[in-house]
Amino acid sequence: MRSTIYKIEWLLLVFFYMNTCYSQTEWDLKKDKDGIKVYTSKLQDSKFNTIKVSCKLKGSLSSLAAILLQPALQTEWVEATKTSILIKRLAANHIYYYNIVSMPWPIMNRDMVIDMLIKQDTLSKKMTIHANSIDKIKPEMPGLVRMPLSQATWEIIPIGLNRIQVEYTLKINPGGGIPAWVVNMFISKVPYETFHSLSKIIQENRFQKQQFDFIKD
């Protein structure tokens, strides 16, 4: 009986190990410039590559949160953003906002509503942000294609005095019949330009002294 239990436990352990190994994402480095690394990965459940950005920024957790909680600022730093409007502030750390993304002619511009929530582990100080597209908040607009999917996750940790390490991942489906190979060909450019702009704007005085009750820097 004891031997049988050991065999079952061993098989479960092997299964868990194999499942963990195969579930790990393999990232391909596409761009490494100015301290900003952009990776892509192919997923089995999507034709569009997933994006990961890794970088260090000169700022605090609160200064980054201050930028992200003001959607109207996205036209200053998020590449290809034409319009960004706050729809509703559900809590100090939770908002809905609306985005219009510019696309090169003749592709129609895209739009989406994003549900963004900021949380922090008070022990490790790690800040996690989920920004995912949601439906039934704003009707679709003529002349725009509603993006079926946009799922972004930020994981940020403080690494010293006024410095943070950021890891950002994004999974998208732009919709509207754009060939996946076209999107995948240029998918690393927008994240690099976005984080390059963010690395500059976060150092501005208007964000450096920001504080929030739900964030411990």
Side-chain angles (χ1 to χ4, degrees), residues 146-210:
R146 179 63 50 88
M147 286 184 62
L149 177 69
S150 177
Q151 294 179 341
T153 299
W154 303 66
E155 294 184 342
I156 312 105
I157 56 172
I159 54 172
L161 183 61
N162 206 42
R163 285 183 64 82
I164 53 176
Q165 171 71 47
V166 177
E167 187 167 294
Y168 168 89
T169 56
L170 175 66
K171 183 178 180 180
I172 61 166
N173 180 347
I178 303 178
W181 67 267
V182 174
V183 176
N184 293 337
M185 184 180 297
F186 301 101
I187 205 167
S188 64
K189 181 181 184 297
V190 171
Y192 169 77
E193 296 295 343
T194 294
F195 276 84
H196 187 260
S197 297
L198 178 59
S199 69
K200 294 180 178 179
I201 192 174
I202 197 173
Q203 298 182 58
E204 295 180 6
N205 290 332
R206 54 179 166 158
F207 305 116
Q208 287 296 308
K209 296 182 179 181
Q210 293 280 350

Side-chain angles (χ1 to χ4, degrees), residues 33-91:
K33 185 178 179 182
D34 301 322
I36 301 168
K37 295 182 179 181
V38 181
Y39 304 82
T40 63
S41 179
K42 296 180 180 179
L43 297 180
Q44 293 182 353
D45 61 347
S46 176
K47 297 179 295 182
F48 301 97
N49 290 345
T50 297
I51 302 162
K52 182 173 77 170
V53 179
S54 180
C55 65
K56 295 179 177 65
L57 300 176
K58 294 180 180 179
S60 65
L61 299 174
S62 292
S63 57
L64 177 59
I67 295 170
L68 298 179
L69 287 168
Q70 299 180 67
L73 296 175
Q74 291 195 15
T75 55
E76 299 182 33
W77 64 278
V78 180
E79 186 74 5
T81 296
K82 182 178 181 180
T83 302
S84 189
I85 303 169
L86 177 68
I87 294 177
K88 186 176 182 180
R89 193 173 298 278
L90 292 87

